[in-house]
Amino acid sequence: MPVCKKKMTLIVGILVCVVSGGEVMGEVESRTVALTREAAPGTRAIWGEFGNFTINNAGQTGFMGRLTGIGVVDANDYGIWLEDGGIKQFVVREGDGASDVDDGAYYRNFNLPRINSEGQVFFSAELIGENVIDETNRGLWRYREGHGTNMLARRGHPSGGDIESTGSISYARVNDAGQFAYRAIQYLDNFETDAFAIMRGEGMVQHVIVDNGEHATDLGDEVVFASSVYTPSMNNVGGLGFIARIEGPGITNENHNGIWYGDTNGHELITRQGFAANGTDQWFNEFGSIRVNDAGQVAFNASLKPKVGQEYHPFTDRGLWAGTSDLLEMVMRSGDDAAGLNGLQYGQTLSFVMNTDGDVLYSSWLLFDGVELNSEKGMWLHSDGESELIAVTGRSLPGLQEWETVDYIFSMNMNDLGQVVFTTTVEGDGVTDDNDRALWLRNADGGLHLLLREGELFDVDDDAVGEDLRMINDIDMYGYSGGEDGQTQSLNDSGELAVHLKFNDGSEGLFVLDTMSTIPEPMTVGLMSAGGLGFLLRRRRRE
């Protein structure tokens, strides 16, 4: 059974982390944000569980907590808190009267709180009440210390542009400049329409960045934006990347989608369906998700369409690109040789993030001779035109025993320092549900470190003379972000990492790990092959 103390400042020389075989695992300093079974500020209840834990570049954290105790029922058992240097500030709770409404509505079912570096908390929620109907039952709010909570958008209310009655409201994107952005859809005669508006706000003022019927930049005079089903991505200087459908003269189903980047001063076309796909001899077809950074670069995934006379191959029809309208680079393409994996090819892109340098961290399914390997995936970092393999299922990683390998790769985050964090499950002899999940750090120098693993002991007591060791039962890290895309992040640009741990005694805790603190030298920087391709294929056949 591994025994590990991660807060080296408290028990260095008293307890080390030992795994069978005598390896010493990494140490990293941490601070405790919140623990279950403790009183929840702003309520008379205690925390029973946590979720949606995030951190900003100022080191403040935001999280959701589920309450338990006298007077707690389903209608008021969740809340949101903001934490700064150990001080926890109550933000909002289910069952509270919703701010800026005139029909007596109450909050219910919060979703994904986000915080920016000014300590503002953004959240969406369902609304309930005698006067609430389906067309008015959801909204978006912002909490600011000293200003309270104000409503930014609500179903059934105007949102800007031509949106007189808002239908669906996307999750908010937030940045360090105190700005926020979201996409609203028009609701008319009990149905959502194609009409949309992408809004960007600052303070109490909101601006329409783009809405339907507006001229589509860099295209013909009569070509206009018609709809947008994707949430925009926003960087820290207020730039927005968005995907939209267009209509007008010459627009068909073969060229009616595009990607734009811009702000309140206008926007430029990055690329478009039917344009040549950089790095290939085919056309762009449909676009997927999008990320931006502060340099105005855009990363996106897309499907491909063969030119006239070319054959269609389903396992080479997707890829990932990054850059600007003037310099767009193909990061990877399905069917191409997977970097660092001889004999295997990239499959479909799964997740990707981009940091300030334009480095792209991405994961993908794997193919062998054009056939998808069931549940086999890898993760790479693309920088300066090259992709480097970080982790892949079926192979070992530094800190594991030679017979232990990665079973699956989960959430991943990257910051402007070039650090990468991700979680995996592990398999091998002696691995059980009690010790199969792990948290990893890759530093900018390429060093890979095992930070935490289930089955280790972790000290939840911040008191320098106290100690409260609990065995880790589960490790969670929320969000996929490169730090400049407006999304929920777990890793900030100071190397602080927000993690949610569950323990064998049934308790839970939220912690911030200082990944810049002293870590022993990595045992091995590269990946251990564990039999390479043959191991991958044999392992899958056994299943």
Side-chain angles (χ1 to χ4, degrees), residues 225-492:
F225 293 113
S227 66
S228 179
V229 298
Y230 298 98
T231 303
S233 183
M234 182 174 66
N235 60 26
N236 288 321
V237 295
L240 286 142
F242 61 93
I243 300 170
R245 184 175 65 83
I246 53 178
E247 61 185 15
I251 304 302
T252 69
N253 289 337
E254 306 295 324
N255 62 6
H256 67 167
N257 287 313
I259 296 177
W260 284 262
Y261 172 83
D263 54 24
T264 53
N265 296 316
H267 23 76
E268 65 171 337
L269 178 67
I270 301 297
T271 192
R272 177 184 167 192
Q273 182 185 29
F275 280 13
N278 304 61
T280 80
D281 60 354
Q282 298 190 343
W283 310 116
F284 282 122
N285 191 21
E286 299 290 340
F287 300 109
S289 54
I290 185 172
R291 300 287 190 274
V292 298
N293 66 9
D294 289 358
Q297 296 172 308
V298 175
F300 61 91
N301 55 1
S303 61
L304 296 170
K305 183 177 180 180
K307 295 180 180 179
V308 176
Q310 293 179 330
E311 292 185 14
Y312 169 75
H313 298 286
F315 290 108
T316 62
D317 71 336
R318 294 178 182 276
L320 176 63
W321 287 262
T324 63
S325 60
D326 296 327
L327 185 60
L328 201 57
E329 176 192 12
M330 185 178 72
V331 175
M332 59 79 69
R333 179 182 176 182
S334 58
D336 285 355
D337 291 339
L341 295 174
N342 292 334
L344 295 180
Q345 302 86 44
Y346 294 116
Q348 180 178 341
T349 307
L350 296 173
S351 302
F352 62 94
V353 299
M354 178 173 62
N355 70 4
T356 193
D357 294 325
D359 298 338
V360 179
L361 177 67
Y362 64 96
S363 62
S364 152
W365 294 124
L366 291 172
L367 308 177
F368 176 62
D369 283 345
V371 178
E372 188 172 287
L373 300 174
N374 185 26
S375 298
E376 303 292 2
K377 67 185 291 190
M379 182 175 65
W380 295 261
L381 179 63
H382 187 83
S383 180
D384 296 327
E386 300 290 337
S387 287
E388 177 187 351
L389 179 67
I390 293 179
V392 62
T393 53
R395 292 193 180 186
S396 192
L397 289 175
L400 299 180
Q401 298 292 346
E402 61 182 11
W403 58 84
E404 295 179 330
T405 60
V406 173
D407 180 55
Y408 200 76
I409 302 167
F410 292 91
S411 54
M412 58 190 194
N413 278 250
M414 179 169 59
N415 63 13
D416 288 352
L417 301 175
Q419 292 180 306
V420 170
V421 290
F422 60 100
T423 55
T424 71
T425 49
V426 176
E427 65 179 3
D429 292 341
V431 178
T432 69
D433 289 343
D434 295 326
N435 65 356
D436 68 339
R437 198 170 182 95
L439 172 65
W440 306 87
L441 165 71
R442 180 192 183 275
N443 277 322
D445 62 3
L448 193 61
H449 307 273
L450 176 61
L451 291 181
L452 295 175
R453 183 170 175 179
E454 288 178 352
E456 297 173 357
L457 291 176
F458 188 91
D459 188 0
V460 305
D461 192 344
D462 272 345
D463 190 335
V465 297
E467 183 176 278
D468 185 352
L469 298 178
R470 304 183 190 183
M471 184 170 291
I472 300 172
N473 180 256
D474 196 14
I475 304 169
D476 279 324
M477 183 179 69
Y478 297 93
Y480 291 82
S481 178
E484 295 182 350
D485 48 24
Q487 301 208 127
T488 298
Q489 65 178 20
S490 294
L491 179 68
N492 69 15

